[in-house]
Amino acid sequence: MKHAAMCIPPALNKGDVIGVIAPAGQIVDRTRFEQGIKILSDMGFEPRFPRQLWPGPGYLADTDANRAEEFHKVYSDPEVKGVIAARGGYGCLRVLNKTDMQVVRQNPKMLLGFSDITLLLNRAVNTAGVVAFHGPVLTSLCDCTSSALERLFNVISGNWYRAIAPPKLEILSGAETVRGKLIGGNLSTLMTTLGTPYDFSWDGCILFLEDIGEPIYRLDRMLTQLALSGKLKQIRGLILGDFTLNSDQDSLEKIRYREYIWKRILNLTSDLEIPVWGNFPAGHCPENLTLPLGALATMDCKQGSLNFSINA
């Protein structure tokens, strides 16, 4: 399948404004927020955010209407050259029917985030036709490795197409090179769109998945549902990012947890003849390497590298 041409958001230069939005959860740690602001500033960019931050209520950063309005205002502001989510959490699902993707198409800007922001990223890709970037949110920048921050800076500066060849990548199955539009993100968040108008075609795509805090049985249930829905039959390749139950997992426990997920995935995809990669450094981990969703990706199984280009 040949995918439609994607719009590439313009690269940012030092001094450019990056708008900080909160389309999901409330800021629970002001210190982490301030550290993220400093990191972006040290990179040479100008983060712009509401001086009173966001009022709530509760677990949401603001009302649904206000979060959608903020999204539109930031995209419509000609001074803002890029957009980063303050944090994930929960809430993007509640504003999908309130966000106008024509605003994104008419004002293409780099959109950065992960976790719950998965919904906005894939909607920008599949509805507005604009490449979006799965990478750190503002409040996770302080946890990032130097290589993750370097990758983020390169992406913001327009060098998003640089290949990624992780030294600890696991080629779980497949030996051929496959190409397809890169989609995906947080597994449990993606599951919330199934059966809704905001689901999208995975046909001919390379799917990236990651998650955190999900017991094995819940992951099994979600992965099995994907298989039963027929979604996995549509893809050309599958990349598994970081999967961790919690930050207290010891190394042996994490290895067993991860290997169970890999085993279940291989069982569910055994008849599909697609490459499956594990241990890709992206997701809820310090080595959260930024990925260009919507770009043409090439899984090179011989080299163990993920390569990117603009369009097929």
Side-chain angles (χ1 to χ4, degrees):
M1 175 182 177
K2 187 176 178 64
H3 296 285
M6 298 293 296
C7 174
I8 308 299
L12 274 67
N13 299 308
K14 287 196 173 184
D16 280 347
V17 173
I18 296 179
V20 182
I21 62 173
Q26 178 61 276
I27 301 300
V28 293
D29 190 332
R30 179 70 177 260
T31 300
R32 295 175 66 84
F33 180 87
E34 292 171 350
Q35 288 173 331
I37 293 294
K38 183 178 186 305
I39 289 170
L40 284 184
S41 298
D42 288 346
M43 286 182 178
F45 304 109
E46 182 189 332
R48 183 173 295 178
F49 55 95
R51 293 300 157 182
Q52 300 302 315
L53 297 186
W54 295 270
Y59 51 82
L60 298 171
D62 206 335
T63 64
D64 295 348
N66 285 349
R67 284 180 288 125
E69 182 183 7
E70 177 182 62
F71 182 84
H72 295 141
K73 279 185 175 180
V74 168
Y75 264 95
S76 300
D77 187 341
E79 291 186 3
V80 176
K81 304 302 181 183
V83 183
I84 188 170
R87 62 160 298 197
Y90 165 72
C92 289
L93 189 66
R94 293 177 50 154
V95 297
L96 289 185
N97 64 341
K98 297 176 175 62
T99 50
D100 183 359
M101 287 295 123
Q102 276 298 109
V103 176
V104 176
R105 181 68 184 182
Q106 293 164 2
N107 306 275
K109 299 175 183 184
M110 287 196 176
L111 175 62
L112 291 152
F114 79 120
S115 198
D116 196 67
I117 314 304
T118 291
L119 297 181
L120 290 180
L121 298 176
N122 285 279
R123 188 147 158 72
V125 167
N126 294 287
T127 303
V130 178
V131 171
F133 296 89
H134 182 282
V137 292
L138 187 81
T139 53
S140 72
L141 289 175
C142 57
D143 295 327
C144 287
T145 62
S146 58
S147 54
L149 291 176
E150 181 182 8
R151 170 82 186 175
L152 177 64
F153 176 79
N154 285 330
V155 165
I156 295 174
S157 303
N159 297 318
W160 54 268
Y161 49 82
R162 291 187 179 180
I164 301 175
K168 297 181 180 178
L169 181 71
E170 297 279 350
I171 309 291
L172 304 180
S173 72
E176 300 301 318
T177 295
V178 298
R179 295 178 179 85
K181 184 172 75 173
L182 185 64
I183 59 167
N186 184 253
L187 171 61
S188 53
T189 301
L190 282 171
M191 298 297 293
T192 64
T193 65
L194 296 186
T196 75
Y198 305 100
D199 192 7
F200 56 93
S201 174
W202 294 8
D203 190 23
C205 292
I206 289 174
L207 175 67
F208 165 75
L209 295 175
E210 63 84 30
D211 218 322
I212 189 172
E214 296 290 348
I216 284 290
Y217 78 91
R218 289 186 189 171
L219 289 172
D220 189 336
R221 181 170 61 200
M222 288 187 282
L223 294 170
T224 302
Q225 184 182 355
L226 281 183
L228 292 175
S229 71
K231 298 291 278 186
L232 295 181
K233 290 181 179 178
Q234 300 175 13
I235 64 176
R236 289 183 178 168
L238 177 58
I239 300 172
L240 304 176
D242 188 68
F243 280 84
T244 305
L245 182 58
N246 57 60
S247 58
D248 296 327
Q249 269 188 307
D250 63 38
S251 55
L252 181 59
E253 183 184 18
K254 180 169 182 174
I255 289 170
R256 288 173 176 164
Y257 176 87
R258 182 181 61 195
E259 287 185 346
Y260 184 92
I261 297 165
W262 292 355
K263 183 178 179 181
R264 182 61 182 143
I265 281 282
L266 290 174
N267 177 261
L268 292 169
T269 59
S270 61
D271 61 338
L272 301 182
E273 297 182 352
I274 62 171
V276 178
W277 291 1
N279 208 36
F280 196 91
H284 287 78
C285 56
E287 187 79 343
N288 185 10
L289 301 186
T290 305
L291 299 170
L293 300 185
L296 180 69
T298 301
M299 295 173 70
D300 187 334
C301 292
K302 291 184 174 64
Q303 300 295 324
S305 67
L306 187 63
N307 308 298
F308 309 105
S309 59
I310 295 175
N311 288 304

